[in-house]
Amino acid sequence: MKLTSPLVLFIIGLAVGVLGWLAALLTTRYSLNTPVLPLNGLITMGVIVVLTLVLGVRVLRWRNGKKKKMLNPILAAWTLVLAQACAYTGSVLLGWHAGIFIDQLRLWNLRSDQTLAWQAVAMAGGGLVMIVVGLVVERFCRIPPEDGEGESAPGRQEKRKPKSEGEYAYRGD
């Protein structure tokens, strides 16, 4: 799998931010409730972040050789998928609530209660934490290439294999 690109996350966040700003603008215009998640959503986001970190640390400890027991490959794949989903979800939440906060800024002087603005900031901050944890845990799941696999580095000579059965292996010195 390819690593998640921070540029793609930024573009998703920007696009969803514009949609969040438009949704907040329309709901304000038609006297509807502003579409911001309640603060108890931070608890759910925290549980997801902690679960992703715990699973990511397990994979990292196995990868660094600190665990003797073999890691279940399905668990490692689930951890990678969870980390990517965490990053994408965080990007959507950050963009949406940043758009709502921008809409709330134009009404800052007109309202005495800024609860919605601070709620949007808190949820956007939770989205940012989800992005960071998702990207970090995704890097935990990378396994370094073994000798002889993958592409060779530029300027590095390929190891020569023996031509026949009776020949000794060439060390490459």
Side-chain angles (χ1 to χ4, degrees), residues 3 7 22 26 54 72 80 94 101 109 125-126 159 161 164:
L3 290 176
L7 179 63
L22 287 172
L26 288 174
V54 167
N72 184 356
L80 177 63
L94 173 63
F101 178 72
N109 291 333
K159 290 185 179 179
K161 295 185 179 178
S164 66

Side-chain angles (χ1 to χ4, degrees), residues 134-147:
L135 291 177
V136 167
V137 170
E138 186 180 19
R139 265 90 179 153
F140 286 173
C141 295
R142 276 191 83 164
I143 297 177
E146 294 180 17
D147 291 340

Side-chain angles (χ1 to χ4, degrees), residues 22-36:
L22 287 172
L25 189 68
L26 288 174
T27 57
T28 303
R29 177 172 291 169
Y30 294 110
S31 300
L32 299 171
N33 291 334
T34 305
V36 64

Side-chain angles (χ1 to χ4, degrees), residues 36-42 97 119 123:
V36 64
L37 288 177
L39 286 178
N40 61 6
L42 288 174
H97 289 94
Q119 192 172 346
M123 294 305 289

Side-chain angles (χ1 to χ4, degrees), residues 33-166:
N33 291 334
T34 305
V36 64
L37 288 177
L39 286 178
N40 61 6
L42 288 174
I43 296 169
T44 305
M45 292 164 70
V47 168
I48 292 170
V49 164
V50 168
L51 178 66
T52 305
L53 271 176
V54 167
L55 292 174
V57 168
R58 282 184 67 185
V59 171
L60 181 67
R61 288 181 66 201
W62 175 82
R63 188 187 78 179
N64 291 340
K66 295 189 178 171
K67 285 274 192 174
K68 303 288 185 214
K69 190 175 157 185
M70 184 64 180
L71 182 71
N72 184 356
I74 300 297
L75 177 68
W78 283 349
T79 303
L80 177 63
V81 170
L82 179 63
Q84 289 180 343
C86 189
Y88 283 113
T89 304
S91 177
V92 169
L93 288 170
L94 173 63
W96 182 265
H97 289 94
I100 290 173
F101 178 72
I102 289 171
D103 180 63
Q104 293 296 312
L105 281 179
R106 76 181 169 88
L107 302 172
W108 192 271
N109 291 333
L110 302 175
R111 290 186 178 162
S112 60
D113 184 23
Q114 305 303 334
T115 305
L116 280 176
W118 293 118
Q119 192 172 346
V121 168
M123 294 305 289
L128 183 63
V129 169
M130 287 181 77
I131 292 170
V132 169
V133 167
L135 291 177
V136 167
V137 170
E138 186 180 19
R139 265 90 179 153
F140 286 173
C141 295
R142 276 191 83 164
I143 297 177
E146 294 180 17
D147 291 340
E149 291 183 13
E151 300 173 11
S152 64
R156 202 172 142 196
Q157 293 180 351
E158 290 290 322
K159 290 185 179 179
R160 206 174 66 176
K161 295 185 179 178
K163 293 179 185 173
S164 66
E165 247 181 48

